[in-house]
Amino acid sequence: MPYPCLPLPLPSQSSIRVLNIGRDPLRRITARASIVELDASPRYRCLSYTWDGARYCDVDDSWTKPEQAIVFNNTIFYIRKNLYAALLQLLDFGVTEPIWIDALSIDQTNITERNNQVSQMGRIFEGAETVSVWLGKEEANTALAIRSMEKFAIDVDRLVDDVSTVTDISSLYDLLKKAFARSNYTDDELVASIDFMTTYRWFSRVWTVQETCLAASIEFFCGSKKIDMGTIIKGSFISNLWGLTSAWARLNSGEELGWARSFSANMMGELAGRKTDSTRPSVGITAQLYRSRRAADPRDKVFAVASISTLENKWISKPFEIDYGKTVQTVFSQAALHGLAGVRGLESLSDVGDRSANMIPNLPTWVPDYTRDVFPGRLLRNRNEFCAASRFQTVIHTTKENSDVIILQGHHFDTIASVCNAFWTPEDPGGVSDMLRLISDVQSVRLSDSESLSMLLERTMIADDNDCSKRDPGDDRSSGFQRWLFSQVCNAVLMQNHEIGVAFIRDPHSNLESALQMIGCAGCLEETLRDSLLQGAQQCASEESVRLAARGRRPFVDSAYASFMDTQLYEYYSDWEAVCQYRKLLRTQGRYIGLALSCAQPEDRVYLLQGAIVPHIFRHQPKDEENVLDFEGESYVHGIMYGEAASNDNLEFQRITIY
């Protein structure tokens, strides 16, 4: 189907096509294109919509095939069903002024024009008088949903004006909870609101981020209903608070809810950024931020956020460019390079995650797959102050011959000697046994003068993510950790031999050795770990309480359980699960204990990279030169996370090449 418009005067960085839509005598939709110059500040609006089905349930082929006929520049032209529905609704609303619509304003078959126009998307949406968002057709409860969202007792405009509140997550959440309580929602109202926010695919699309972030004015259409931006933000707020009510049991909590929740955070952050005139992050960082959003073309996971990103970096010879002639691998590699150069401490390396989960093949080992969420979650948390080698200047080199390769300055600090799973389910009695055996020989574990093995294990299993390092060194017995340790050991014993497990619960001191023997750890429990285990036993009154605690159940699940499962134990279990799931516990040849991704194995190398805030794991392939390595992820190595190793002025860094 030939594109029925005259070519744009490329390589102009100002020319775009806008459309005037209407109906002909046969009631067919018509569109006539004209070329205007952005430099001349023309008047027009933009349409934001999804190319495929409007709703998540719209998955049949009819939504992705151009089968709806319109008259475009006096030529029959076929478009997709959702765009056709949007044009019908715009005409019903009486929209006649020029409008920019990507599927019609760009010759999608011309890569040169496509590159040119997508590169201008920021200017196009920023220059529009209004951005009209087409969500899709209204549902039976749409009217109730809109009224319910409007009812949320908070002034969004005033909230946006208060930049300090918007940027303080804790204060904002407290404010929203109070507003939610004042709104006096019924379950039906909440269900309608959440259903609305989790019905329309528009909220999941990465392209819609820049289309709304850059807009001077936004209006939403859902069927015949018009909705303002403030109401949609309120709906997103409700999506973040629905768990506080009895309506949660009637609602879905899948990916759709995540996209609904993130909308308000994205918009409030962008609006707050405008108030403070903050610098935009690099394109690699923005692509990571919106990594969970969807796009049909994987390259659009990066291209779609280019207009709200910084595309130049003084350390990189060329700015990032939109080019649909490049492979996905090349686009992702270039974005990742900008990400590494655009933040402190080589933090972007942590965005790679477990490469076995990648959807895009043949990516360099240091490049994230932006088509999937980072998995598992990063060890780098806002409340951590890791600075493993950050006292040194970060140095990043590339090669002209191969854009998939980076060269960093690294110090081979240690080598992994053994690993075991860092997280296990209650049905796996071997998990806690493997952990205890790995650290059992106190002579093989490096401890500081003020630290016990119990405290080392407590801090390592949550990657020091609970301010453990700020406690009094003498206070090495967190009750949450102690109860976690006892529940895990006792549950493993119960799984192996119920009779011995029950006896262990009733009289822990007398039955400790027989319990440890049952799980293969007889005689290998160091004194401070033994003390912590027995201290934790004091809170366990029954087999039921042990089994529930081993599963990390919340206190309100069972009233009998609530007396045992206190907040400290629940918080420690939650932190352990968040940090250690899909990770390995490691011991190095140099007697350090730590955590790495599940791909880690003995003989992998622990490196301190110049300028990095955490250690990293690398693997040497026998066929490669000594300093040519594959990247295997971030790590936590207890005892060097706060610059202890880097304080040595004689630390030697060498160039390492990473493919």
Side-chain angles (χ1 to χ4, degrees):
M1 182 172 54
Y3 184 69
C5 297
L6 293 173
L8 289 170
L10 302 182
S12 168
Q13 292 298 309
S14 175
S15 302
I16 64 170
R17 295 186 190 91
V18 294
L19 313 166
N20 287 91
I21 59 174
R23 291 184 183 274
D24 66 8
L26 298 177
R27 302 296 296 166
R28 296 178 300 186
I29 294 177
T30 63
R32 180 164 292 278
S34 58
I35 296 176
V36 298
E37 299 296 324
L38 290 174
D39 291 344
S41 302
R43 297 186 61 183
Y44 64 96
R45 72 168 63 205
C46 286
L47 179 65
S48 176
Y49 66 105
T50 59
W51 277 43
D52 45 2
R55 302 170 302 174
Y56 294 113
C57 61
D58 296 330
V59 294
D60 61 87
D61 290 346
S62 67
W63 292 98
T64 58
K65 294 179 179 178
E67 298 178 333
Q68 305 296 316
I70 66 170
V71 181
F72 186 18
N73 279 5
N74 298 318
T75 301
I76 298 298
F77 194 79
Y78 292 92
I79 62 175
R80 296 186 183 187
K81 188 158 57 173
N82 192 39
L83 175 55
Y84 189 83
L87 294 177
L88 285 176
Q89 194 60 63
L90 288 170
L91 289 171
D92 286 347
F93 279 127
V95 172
T96 57
E97 71 265 30
I99 187 168
W100 187 90
I101 303 171
D102 57 359
L104 298 175
S105 297
I106 301 174
D107 181 357
Q108 299 291 334
T109 65
N110 184 329
I111 289 184
T112 301
E113 179 173 308
R114 194 176 169 195
N115 291 341
N116 174 275
Q117 293 292 281
V118 172
S119 298
Q120 295 190 68
M121 289 276 274
R123 287 190 70 192
I124 292 170
F125 276 86
E126 205 166 21
E129 290 187 337
T130 301
V131 173
S132 297
V133 175
W134 169 250
L135 295 177
K137 295 181 178 180
E138 58 193 283
E139 304 284 316
N141 62 355
T142 297
L144 174 60
I146 294 172
R147 291 196 302 272
S148 302
M149 293 187 295
E150 291 173 338
K151 177 181 172 181
F152 192 76
I154 200 165
D155 187 328
V156 173
D157 291 334
R158 288 185 60 185
L159 187 61
V160 171
D161 289 337
D162 186 357
V163 175
S164 61
T165 300
V166 172
T167 53
D168 184 340
I169 301 300
S170 178
S171 298
L172 177 61
Y173 189 67
D174 288 342
L175 186 66
L176 294 179
K177 283 197 297 185
K178 293 175 182 177
F180 186 80
R182 292 195 303 269
S183 301
N184 297 316
Y185 281 114
T186 65
D187 278 6
D188 286 343
E189 288 175 326
L190 289 172
V191 170
S193 299
I194 304 297
D195 278 350
F196 178 89
M197 295 297 298
T198 57
T199 290
Y200 298 105
R201 188 175 272 115
W202 183 89
F203 292 103
S204 72
R205 286 302 189 246
V206 67
W207 278 110
T208 64
V209 174
Q210 70 168 7
E211 293 168 2
T212 48
C213 286
L214 297 174
S217 173
I218 307 174
E219 58 183 7
F220 289 80
F221 296 92
C222 185
S224 62
K225 307 295 185 186
K226 284 188 177 182
I227 316 167
D228 61 62
M229 170 63 89
T231 299
I232 298 294
I233 290 177
K234 289 180 179 182
S236 180
F237 286 155
I238 295 171
S239 302
N240 283 279
L241 297 163
W242 65 279
L244 301 176
T245 75
S246 58
W248 70 273
R250 296 169 55 190
L251 297 168
N252 226 332
S253 59
E255 280 186 308
E256 295 88 351
L257 186 61
W259 290 315
R261 286 173 163 174
S262 65
F263 178 78
S264 56
N266 297 154
M267 285 306 303
M268 299 299 284
E270 176 64 26
L271 293 171
R274 291 183 189 179
K275 296 283 184 182
T276 58
D277 220 10
S278 59
T279 303
R280 294 194 181 279
S282 75
V283 66
I285 301 304
T286 313
Q288 166 61 28
L289 179 63
Y290 295 106
R291 190 163 164 173
S292 66
R293 298 292 190 102
R294 296 285 178 82
D297 186 331
R299 294 169 294 186
D300 286 339
K301 295 297 292 285
V302 178
F303 293 161
V305 298
S307 293
I308 54 173
S309 307
T310 298
L311 305 183
E312 296 184 355
N313 188 286
K314 64 181 181 179
W315 304 111
I316 303 174
S317 59
K318 293 183 179 180
F320 182 85
E321 295 180 344
I322 292 173
D323 184 354
Y324 284 97
K326 294 178 179 178
T327 65
V328 177
Q329 290 81 0
T330 298
V331 172
F332 283 12
S333 295
Q334 291 176 349
L337 180 60
H338 279 260
L340 282 174
V343 294
R344 72 180 185 97
L346 299 173
E347 282 190 41
S348 291
L349 286 176
S350 295
D351 297 334
V352 175
D354 187 344
R355 291 187 290 109
S356 67
N358 281 2
M359 305 295 290
I360 303 299
N362 303 320
L363 285 172
T365 63
W366 55 276
V367 174
D369 181 353
Y370 294 110
T371 64
R372 65 170 179 86
D373 285 341
V374 59
F375 170 84
R378 305 192 319 172
L379 282 174
L380 309 178
R381 309 288 180 87
N382 291 334
R383 58 178 178 258
N384 274 334
E385 298 177 353
F386 295 150
C387 52
S390 57
R391 66 182 285 249
F392 302 102
Q393 176 67 44
T394 301
V395 177
I396 305 172
H397 297 286
T398 57
T399 65
K400 293 181 179 179
E401 297 79 19
N402 192 342
S403 61
D404 294 340
V405 173
I406 57 170
I407 300 171
L408 302 175
Q409 295 291 116
H411 170 73
H412 182 188
F413 175 75
D414 210 337
T415 300
I416 295 177
S418 59
V419 298
C420 69
N421 290 331
F423 182 82
W424 52 85
T425 66
E427 291 73 32
D428 176 17
V432 68
S433 305
D434 292 342
M435 176 197 73
L436 292 175
R437 284 193 291 269
L438 186 140
I439 67 167
S440 60
D441 184 0
V442 71
Q443 298 302 317
S444 69
V445 176
R446 186 183 294 265
L447 297 171
S448 66
D449 294 338
S450 61
E451 188 173 48
S452 69
L453 186 59
S454 176
M455 191 171 189
L456 178 148
L457 181 63
E458 174 189 347
R459 293 171 63 178
T460 298
M461 298 307 280
I462 57 174
D464 221 4
D465 202 33
N466 202 19
D467 294 326
C468 296
S469 61
K470 298 178 182 178
R471 290 209 319 265
D472 184 335
D475 178 18
D476 64 350
R477 290 182 173 82
S478 159
S479 60
F481 166 73
Q482 293 164 357
R483 296 168 199 176
W484 169 83
L485 181 61
F486 179 79
S487 68
Q488 297 302 320
V489 171
C490 191
N491 181 73
V493 176
L494 286 167
M495 291 287 292
Q496 297 283 22
N497 187 303
H498 183 264
E499 183 179 350
I500 293 178
V502 171
F504 185 38
I505 294 172
R506 292 174 179 169
D507 189 350
H509 288 78
S510 300
N511 294 286
L512 176 59
E513 288 306 321
S514 59
L516 292 176
Q517 184 175 6
M518 184 54 56
I519 61 173
C521 295
C524 67
L525 206 63
E526 180 266 347
E527 182 181 356
T528 61
L529 278 175
R530 181 187 298 262
D531 290 346
S532 290
L533 183 66
L534 294 175
Q535 286 288 332
Q538 296 178 8
Q539 303 298 322
C540 296
S542 67
E543 177 184 347
E544 180 187 18
S545 62
V546 168
R547 291 192 184 277
L548 286 171
R551 284 163 171 74
R553 299 283 293 278
R554 285 180 178 273
F556 59 71
V557 171
D558 184 277
S559 57
Y561 169 56
S563 61
F564 169 78
M565 186 62 171
D566 61 26
T567 301
Q568 287 177 313
L569 172 54
Y570 170 65
E571 287 182 351
Y572 189 86
Y573 184 98
S574 298
D575 288 341
W576 170 58
E577 182 177 34
V579 169
C580 287
Q581 196 169 24
Y582 311 112
R583 284 193 168 90
K584 292 284 182 67
L585 184 68
L586 64 87
R587 187 178 68 212
T588 70
Q589 294 176 1
R591 301 182 292 125
Y592 285 90
I593 297 293
L595 298 168
L597 297 184
S598 58
C599 57
Q601 61 189 37
E603 302 303 324
D604 283 350
R605 302 175 182 181
V606 180
Y607 267 82
L608 289 175
L609 298 177
Q610 195 165 301
I613 63 177
V614 297
H616 295 89
I617 306 297
F618 291 89
R619 184 170 300 157
H620 178 255
Q621 303 292 349
K623 62 182 176 59
D624 292 330
E625 296 180 13
E626 178 63 20
N627 286 334
V628 174
L629 304 170
D630 289 344
F631 177 61
E632 299 297 338
E634 64 176 6
S635 69
Y636 172 92
V637 179
H638 191 76
I640 67 170
M641 299 304 293
Y642 300 98
E644 297 93 332
S647 63
N648 181 358
D649 292 333
N650 296 322
L651 207 64
E652 293 184 359
F653 290 94
Q654 295 180 329
R655 288 164 65 98
I656 59 173
T657 302
I658 308 167
Y659 281 82

